[in-house]
Amino acid sequence: MIVKSLFLDNFRNHRDTKIDFSDRFNIIYGNNGQGKTNILEAIYLCASGRSHRTSKDNELVMFNSDYFNINTQVFNNGLERNINIKYLNNQKRQIKINEIPIKKIGSLMGNLYAVLFSPEDLSIIKQGPGERRRFVDITLSQIKPTYFYNLQSLSKILKQRNILLKNLYSKSELVDTIDIWNYKLAEVAANIIIERRKFSEALSEFAQNQHKYISNNSEIITFNYECNFNYQNSDNKTEIMNIYLKLLEKSLNRDISLGYTSIGPHRDDYDILINNKSLKLYGSQGQQRSSVLSIKIAEIELINKETGQYPILLLDDVMSELDENRQKYLMESIKYVQTFITCTNDSKFKNILNNSARYFLIESGSVINCFENEHLH
């Protein structure tokens, strides 16, 4: 999986930026606020269909403009793909793959696999369940488009069921219609639960293999799926559906009172442990950083296992957060991965990467200098 080039037109502070990338390491450097992260954001948008910084497309448009246009050339499994994303005047964004418009964003998944690692990823550990669900959902959606469609269905069904719950508070005669939404919800929920459990088990195994090196065999990391209800660790869709349907029936009066669905995969969580202790509650800052590093490298390996291809890696200002040993370990772990690194100072990479990097100096949303590692000496 290789990104060959990127064109940005009125995206954030990039008015007219064209970049041809190295197949290995790409060092994007410059002072803060110049537009380095915007380049990674655009690539990530082409992979996952979403920005990691905002959910609003109009915030991606350059000031005093009314549109943005992203065009990226990707080599995927020997085939060339051109991914184009356009947005105009608060309209729904348009996505084309090889000039062919796609009707559903799920069709974008699988054309470009990407793993993003930024300082904000500590929120996977430090923040609430929503951050951990988001991390899992984005990765799973890339490698399993059907999972993405199930997530979309879950959101729509929950919205309709919650509307009905609010109406039931004053119109009890509508209660007979709740069974329809319960069944639809249970079917989609079972699909999501099965995939989340499989993903968590696989990620945990890969992360353990990575973390034993980082911790010198002193720590065991586990990434456990915590379903919102006891589904008895079943992998049988029908069994999970039946368990969930009974719980939905039992909680109906409470849900009517609350006005929303209180039980389900939209309230799932993941428990990250070090030596069987909560990393969030008991882990030091160093342990948390090391654990996120292990999880991100595990994410790369998991995508490769599931798809047969290594994803690209986007490192947004994380090298300064890692000590020298962790930096070296990260560089060794991603030797097969096309990598994009943003930083304020490129000098630390000149000896580490030898002749395998291309450097881009960014100022005010423009590439003002580009050179290969071999030109440094």
Side-chain angles (χ1 to χ4, degrees):
M1 183 74 65
I2 298 293
V3 175
K4 297 297 291 185
S5 65
L6 177 71
F7 172 70
L8 301 178
D9 180 15
N10 284 345
F11 183 83
R12 294 285 194 181
N13 71 332
H14 288 267
R15 183 173 300 282
D16 184 15
T17 299
K18 173 70 163 62
I19 309 178
D20 294 312
F21 295 114
S22 164
D23 291 356
R24 292 298 294 113
F25 289 97
N26 297 275
I27 312 302
I28 302 166
Y29 70 102
N31 293 329
N32 291 327
Q34 302 304 305
K36 304 185 300 295
T37 296
N38 299 340
I39 294 171
L40 270 56
E41 181 180 28
I43 296 172
Y44 193 65
L45 185 65
C46 290
S48 65
R50 68 182 81 186
S51 160
H52 67 289
R53 301 156 82 192
T54 180
S55 59
K56 299 177 181 178
D57 283 344
N58 59 4
E59 293 182 1
L60 304 176
V61 177
M62 175 177 270
F63 184 68
N64 283 337
S65 183
D66 59 3
Y67 78 95
F68 72 74
N69 184 24
I70 305 171
N71 207 70
T72 186
Q73 184 186 28
V74 176
F75 279 91
N76 180 340
N77 206 21
L79 299 175
E80 181 179 342
R81 287 186 173 87
N82 187 277
I83 301 173
N84 177 241
I85 300 179
K86 290 182 179 179
Y87 171 82
L88 174 65
N89 272 340
N90 294 317
Q91 299 175 16
K92 185 177 180 181
R93 75 165 77 132
Q94 297 179 337
I95 303 176
K96 294 181 180 179
I97 299 174
N98 290 341
E99 301 300 322
I100 300 174
I102 63 173
K103 295 181 179 179
K104 296 182 178 180
I105 194 171
S107 301
L108 177 65
M109 306 302 170
N111 287 280
L112 174 60
Y113 303 117
V115 170
L116 173 71
F117 187 11
S118 71
E120 289 74 27
D121 281 319
L122 279 176
S123 63
I124 295 173
I125 295 168
K126 291 183 174 181
Q127 299 301 317
E131 290 296 324
R132 290 179 283 279
R133 286 197 303 270
R134 184 176 184 273
F135 160 66
V136 172
D137 289 346
I138 289 175
T139 306
L140 257 175
S141 294
Q142 286 190 69
I143 59 181
K144 292 183 178 291
T146 53
Y147 179 84
F148 177 78
Y149 289 124
N150 279 321
L151 280 182
Q152 286 188 314
S153 296
L154 176 69
S155 178
K156 293 176 182 177
I157 293 168
L158 282 171
K159 183 178 180 179
Q160 292 299 319
R161 188 178 190 270
N162 290 346
I163 290 172
L164 178 58
L165 289 170
K166 291 181 175 69
N167 288 332
L168 282 173
Y169 194 81
S170 57
K171 300 177 182 178
S172 59
E173 66 273 13
L174 296 174
V175 70
D176 291 341
T177 62
I178 196 71
D179 288 343
I180 299 172
W181 294 108
N182 285 359
Y183 186 86
K184 289 181 178 181
L185 181 58
E187 184 174 31
V188 171
N191 290 331
I192 290 173
I193 288 167
I194 290 170
E195 291 298 340
R196 283 179 174 174
R197 180 188 179 188
K198 290 179 181 176
F199 175 88
S200 299
E201 290 175 349
L203 185 75
S204 189
E205 181 179 351
F206 279 118
Q208 285 176 20
N209 292 335
Q210 300 297 334
H211 200 74
K212 68 180 181 180
Y213 294 108
I214 297 177
S215 66
N216 293 319
N217 289 313
S218 66
E219 296 175 353
I220 298 175
I221 187 173
T222 48
F223 191 93
N224 294 335
Y225 172 47
E226 299 291 333
C227 185
N228 179 240
F229 62 88
N230 182 7
Y231 69 108
Q232 300 176 0
N233 293 330
S234 174
D235 282 329
N236 184 288
K237 179 178 176 179
T238 301
E239 289 180 3
I240 297 172
M241 286 181 63
N242 288 336
I243 292 170
Y244 189 28
L245 283 168
K246 290 178 181 177
L247 290 172
L248 287 172
E249 293 171 6
K250 185 182 292 187
S251 65
L252 179 58
N253 288 334
R254 181 179 63 181
D255 286 357
I256 292 173
S257 177
L258 293 171
Y260 61 82
T261 305
S262 60
I263 300 174
H266 56 297
R267 301 177 71 85
D268 284 349
D269 199 356
Y270 301 85
D271 200 6
I272 306 172
L273 307 174
I274 291 291
N275 296 339
N276 292 319
K277 292 183 179 179
S278 169
L279 186 59
K280 179 179 180 179
L281 296 177
Y282 303 108
S284 67
Q285 186 83 353
Q287 285 177 315
Q288 292 179 348
R289 286 175 177 169
S290 294
S291 298
V292 172
L293 176 59
S294 297
I295 289 169
K296 285 296 176 176
I297 297 174
E299 185 183 358
I300 292 170
E301 296 297 333
L302 179 56
I303 291 175
N304 180 51
K305 178 187 176 183
E306 292 289 335
T307 67
Q309 297 185 76
Y310 280 104
I312 64 166
L313 176 61
L314 308 170
L315 298 175
D316 188 15
D317 196 29
V318 297
M319 300 305 286
S320 60
E321 298 287 323
L322 304 174
D323 60 29
E324 186 175 348
N325 289 333
R326 291 187 181 97
Q327 288 180 16
K328 289 180 178 178
Y329 179 74
L330 175 59
M331 290 296 124
E332 177 63 25
S333 301
I334 59 177
K335 56 188 175 183
Y336 302 113
V337 180
Q338 185 190 26
T339 303
F340 302 78
I341 302 173
T342 64
C343 58
T344 55
N345 188 343
D346 65 318
S347 60
K348 70 173 65 178
F349 300 103
K350 294 177 182 178
N351 295 322
I352 298 176
L353 302 179
N354 298 319
N355 296 325
S356 58
R358 187 171 295 169
Y359 293 76
F360 305 91
L361 175 59
I362 308 297
E363 286 187 7
S364 301
S366 298
V367 180
I368 68 166
N369 196 8
C370 172
F371 52 88
E372 305 286 343
N373 221 32
E374 60 195 37
H375 297 147
L376 295 170
H377 307 291

